[in-house]
């Protein structure tokens, strides 16, 4: 999908993304479980409307990247509400210019589905994180359940056009083939949603 079309799609979804999460929801519980490990100098990729900000320590230093200006507007409001120190960068993650070996924690939640080249983004995460840093991922993709996977494949063209999001990427295969060392995985919803705690391999 052409990048400007993607930006338009996510601009339109910003209001929905900005809605507070129900603390009893599956989405809230998974984010909280993963992000309690976040520490130090944090880089959040495709920050959206700042949904994850509520889970960060008040003394965290955060760099937040997104290509949607309206998402960033919403995220700025959320950062102020949470009294967080956030530097925002409006950029395509695949092309963003950030310092190598800078960040203690690199975070991506539900964003690998949208990049034209997710392999490139995973490689860039490894460049940006410190050698002893961590990479925290919450991602969705192709289920190991054949019936659910069939539905995901059938729905993918429509949802990609409507939401700018691939439903049928094999996330564990993508991460496994990257330069990330997987330290822990927890999978949910017929193995279609994954929490991944990782670090850079051979760095």
């Amino acid at each position: 999908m052409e990048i400007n079309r993607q930006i338009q799609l996510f601009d339109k979804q910003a209001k929905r993304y900005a809605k507070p999460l129900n603390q009893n929801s599956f989405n809230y519980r998974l984010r909280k479980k993963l992000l309690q490990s976040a520490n130090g100098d944090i880089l959040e990729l495709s920050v959206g409307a700042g949904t994850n900000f509520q889970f960060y320590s008040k003394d965290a230093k955060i760099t937040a990247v997104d290509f949607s200006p309206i998402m960033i507007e919403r995220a700025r409001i959320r950062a102020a509400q949470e009294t967080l120190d956030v530097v925002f960068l409006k950029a395509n993650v695949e092309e963003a210019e950030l310092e190598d070996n800078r960040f203690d924690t690199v975070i991506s939640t539900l964003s690998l589905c949208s990049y034209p080249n997710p392999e490139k983004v995973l490689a860039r995460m490894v460049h940006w994180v410190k050698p002893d840093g961590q990479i925290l991922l919450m991602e969705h993709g192709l289920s190991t359940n054949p019936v659910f996977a069939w539905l995901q494949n059938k729905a993918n063209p429509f949802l990609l056009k409507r939401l700018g999001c691939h439903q049928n990427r094999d996330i564990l295969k993508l991460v496994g083939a990257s330069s990330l060392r997987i330290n822990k995985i927890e999978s949910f919803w017929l193995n279609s949603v994954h929490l991944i705690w990782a670090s850079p391999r051979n760095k």
Side-chain angles (χ1 to χ4, degrees):
M1 179 178 290
E2 199 268 333
I3 189 69
N4 289 330
R5 172 60 178 158
Q6 267 198 315
I7 292 172
Q8 291 173 358
L9 286 173
F10 283 96
D11 279 349
K12 290 179 180 179
Q13 297 176 73
K15 184 177 181 180
R16 177 171 62 85
Y17 276 74
K19 291 181 179 179
L21 293 178
N22 183 323
Q23 294 189 11
N24 294 319
S25 70
F26 177 73
N27 191 358
Y28 181 96
R29 295 197 307 271
L30 289 194
R31 289 176 191 263
K32 183 177 180 180
K33 184 171 192 175
L34 178 73
L35 298 175
Q36 65 185 351
S37 300
N39 61 66
D41 198 347
I42 296 170
L43 171 63
E44 183 170 349
L45 304 177
S46 295
V47 67
T51 301
N52 291 332
F53 288 171
Q54 63 191 297
F55 301 109
Y56 297 149
S57 169
K58 296 300 183 183
D59 60 357
K61 183 179 179 182
I62 303 158
T63 300
V65 184
D66 205 289
F67 63 9
S68 163
I70 298 180
M71 285 288 195
I72 287 181
E73 286 177 13
R74 297 282 183 170
R76 286 187 190 278
I77 294 170
R78 179 63 66 86
Q81 292 170 341
E82 299 291 341
T83 62
L84 291 173
D85 177 13
V86 184
V87 174
F88 290 95
L89 175 62
K90 184 173 76 69
N92 176 3
V93 169
E94 292 191 11
E95 307 299 333
E97 295 184 4
L98 294 161
E99 182 181 349
D100 286 352
N101 302 312
R102 173 182 164 185
F103 297 97
D104 299 292
T105 306
V106 175
I107 292 168
S108 164
T109 55
L110 306 179
S111 66
L112 285 177
C113 59
S114 63
Y115 301 120
N117 303 290
E119 300 89 349
K120 181 178 180 180
V121 175
L122 288 166
R124 303 198 87 198
M125 291 180 189
V126 172
H127 284 292
W128 291 328
V129 75
K130 292 178 180 178
D132 60 349
Q134 61 178 338
I135 298 167
L136 304 177
L137 309 175
M138 172 183 163
E139 303 293 349
H140 73 92
L142 191 66
S143 171
T144 56
N145 179 282
V147 176
F148 189 31
W150 180 85
L151 291 171
Q152 289 176 298
N153 284 319
K154 292 291 288 184
N156 192 66
F158 170 76
L159 292 175
L160 179 60
K161 184 177 181 180
R162 181 73 180 271
L163 303 177
C165 171
H166 292 268
Q167 304 299 305
N168 59 353
R169 285 183 168 168
D170 190 333
I171 295 300
L172 295 186
K173 184 177 180 180
L174 282 169
V175 175
S178 74
S179 296
L180 276 67
R181 175 187 293 111
I182 297 175
N183 300 316
K184 180 182 176 182
I185 297 175
E186 294 187 14
S187 297
F188 307 87
W189 271 12
L190 301 176
N191 290 325
S192 67
V193 177
H194 311 285
L195 299 184
I196 301 173
W197 291 260
S199 54
R201 185 193 305 154
N202 300 326
K203 188 174 182 180

